[in-house]
Every structure is written in C-alpha cells, then in structure tokens.
Amino acid sequence: MPAERRLPLSCVLDVMEGRAQHPGVLYVQKQCSNLPTELPQLLPDLEPHVPWASEALGKMPDAVNFWLGEASAVTSLHKDHYENLYCVISGEKHFLLHPPSDRPFIPYELYIPATYQLTEEGSFKVVDEEAMEKVPWIPLDPLAPDLARYPSYSQAQALRCTVQAGEMLYLPALWFHHVQQSHGCIAVNFWYDMEYDLKYSYFQLLDSLTKASGLN
C-alpha cells in the first residue's frame, strides 16, 4: 500500500508545476469514489455518470474517481472487478492491456502485505504487515519482462493504446492493465460493478486450470 498524506490541492499543483519539492511520487488517487467525497467542488464540471454505459450495463457507477499525478506514478499490472470508463481530461495515459484469456501466461506470487511509510529524514521504508495473510500479486514488469524467470509471458499478446485529453477508454472487467501517464495528467473514471455471470465463471475456471497445471 502507498504512503498516504492529506495535502491541500494547491500544494500538489505547486509540486506538479515545479514550484515546490515533495518526497516520493505524488498521485491523487484513493479509488474510493474520491471525486464526490473529497473534491465536490469539481462535480458541476462533470456528468455524474456515462449515460450510454449506465444504460448498457443497467446500473449507475459504484464509484467516480479523480486522478492527478506525476509521470513517475506508474500502476503495476493488475485487474479489477469493475467495468471501467476511463476519461482523460488533460495530458495522456498509456495503457498496456492483456485480455483475461492471457491469464495462463501472467505469473502470480504470494507476498506479505506491506505499506510505504515516510520517515522523519524524508525517505521511505517498507513496513511488512506480518500478521496479515499473504496476498497474490503479479511480480512481472510488462515493459521489461524477465523472460528467463517467467518464460510463459512470451506467449501473451499485449495490446497498447494511448488515451488523450477528451478521449475515453472502456476497460472491461478482468482485463489486465499497466498504466503510465504524462506529467500532471488529469483523469476521471467511472467504476461500474461487474456482473458475476458466465464470463466471471469462465475466468475462474481458467484461473483454476492455470494453477492446477503449474503454469502459474
């Protein structure tokens, strides 16, 4: 987990625009519908949902998230149990994508949960949560994969796309994604809860077969 701090948005903008320094990598993103709960002043500038998506999915979004960060804020390869409508407002986002069918080629390992903590000296340390159960995580960097350690990944077929200001990406639930961004990129995304239907069952079957065959 990241080290979290509450800062005035003006302080974040000062760092983004080079007027101030701050340790670590700044990324405004809590993934808990932080737009309406923490930045309600921005709500009049946005639609509360994506009408065509809400109609197609038969529901309203579970969460609306605001994202603002430095170019060095990179999201590691992962998947979400949400239908994701990702809207870039300023700058651009770079997505590397894998469909759920690539699961046999994507490695998982179990790790002790840990949290970054900021020390009094201004550096960061990683503190393990020893009392918690280990969690599955993808240890592979898709931009520089260690194929000697994870040879199966060479069979995966990554898709790449750039989402620019004014564009929206529909990222289906259970698709693996790795995300980079331009410096100071601003985005808003709408998370719609996925249906735990046949598609989910197929993925669970593929995941189970992958583990049982030792491909993981």
Side-chain angles (χ1 to χ4, degrees):
M1 297 292 292
E4 293 187 0
R5 295 190 65 187
R6 294 188 66 86
L7 296 172
L9 193 55
S10 59
C11 293
V12 177
L13 294 176
D14 284 343
V15 173
M16 296 289 175
E17 296 172 0
R19 295 189 296 269
Q21 299 291 320
H22 191 277
V25 178
L26 283 185
Y27 203 9
V28 181
Q29 54 98 31
K30 285 189 70 176
Q31 304 182 27
C32 56
S33 213
N34 67 331
L35 181 61
T37 58
E38 297 188 354
L39 297 166
Q41 300 88 346
L42 300 180
L43 290 177
D45 295 332
L46 298 164
E47 296 288 340
H49 66 120
V50 182
W52 62 263
S54 300
E55 180 179 357
L57 297 170
K59 64 186 74 175
M60 296 293 286
D62 271 13
V64 183
N65 303 307
F66 176 87
W67 309 76
L68 166 64
E70 303 177 73
S72 50
V74 177
T75 303
S76 62
L77 190 64
H78 70 289
K79 59 176 172 54
D80 297 310
H81 291 74
Y82 287 101
E83 309 290 349
N84 190 350
L85 279 297
Y86 205 100
C87 313
V88 175
I89 297 171
S90 175
E92 56 187 31
K93 292 269 185 175
H94 309 286
F95 287 83
L96 183 148
L97 308 168
H98 285 287
S101 55
D102 272 353
R103 169 63 186 93
F105 314 124
I106 295 175
Y108 273 89
E109 293 180 6
L110 293 175
Y111 292 90
I112 297 173
T115 302
Y116 281 99
Q117 290 187 3
L118 183 61
T119 67
E120 293 181 358
E121 295 77 27
S123 59
F124 286 90
K125 63 178 180 180
V126 178
V127 179
D128 289 339
E129 306 288 348
E130 297 284 357
M132 298 179 65
E133 292 185 5
K134 290 185 177 182
V135 295
W137 198 254
I138 299 171
L140 175 137
D141 178 359
L143 302 182
D146 184 349
L147 296 180
R149 184 175 180 184
Y150 307 110
S152 295
Y153 184 71
S154 63
Q155 300 179 64
Q157 299 294 319
L159 305 174
R160 291 174 170 81
C161 72
T162 295
V163 185
Q164 299 179 334
E167 297 180 338
M168 176 192 297
L169 171 68
Y170 168 48
L171 180 58
L174 302 178
W175 275 62
F176 297 92
H177 50 289
H178 174 281
V179 191
Q180 297 174 286
Q181 63 187 358
S182 60
H183 187 75
C185 179
I186 300 172
V188 170
N189 83 306
F190 300 83
W191 265 345
Y192 292 80
D193 195 17
M194 70 172 288
E195 293 292 331
Y196 290 84
D197 52 12
L198 191 60
K199 177 180 66 176
Y200 177 75
S201 298
Y202 275 140
F203 180 81
Q204 290 297 98
L205 174 62
L206 182 60
D207 185 58
S208 298
L209 291 173
T210 298
K211 294 174 182 175
S213 65
L215 290 174
N216 198 35

